[in-house]
Amino acid sequence: NLVEDDTFYVFVRIIGDKFPEFYVHSSKDVADMVKEEHVKWLNTAGKNGVKHNDNAMRSFKDLSNRDRWDLLE
């Protein structure tokens, strides 16, 4: 199971030679957001108006919770 109360993800955004940005998210939040975004993607027309086909690819693009290390306490 990928959703656990004590499981968190830390996403690292690297921009050139700047100090990396860190984004902390609970596994539940990640699962919910990924599912929601995938449903939106499936319901949006793709190239040339063709419907997207379901597949195993998922994306996560949430830049909230920057440096929220307190969520790990």
Side-chain angles (χ1 to χ4, degrees), residues 37-45 51-55:
E37 286 301 314
H38 187 66
V39 169
K40 283 183 192 175
W41 178 78
L42 285 174
N43 293 323
T44 303
K51 182 180 180 191
H52 289 117
N53 293 320
D54 197 4
N55 59 50

Side-chain angles (χ1 to χ4, degrees), residues 13-31:
R13 183 175 183 207
I14 300 171
I15 306 170
D17 60 352
K18 296 180 183 177
F19 190 78
E21 297 174 354
F22 300 94
Y23 300 89
V24 182
H25 292 277
S26 71
S27 60
K28 180 180 182 335
D29 288 346
V30 171

Side-chain angles (χ1 to χ4, degrees), residues 44-65:
T44 303
K47 194 173 189 178
N48 299 321
V50 177
K51 182 180 180 191
H52 289 117
N53 293 320
D54 197 4
N55 59 50
M57 179 66 78
R58 301 295 185 267
S59 65
F60 184 80
K61 300 176 184 175
D62 188 315
L63 294 180
S64 65
N65 293 351

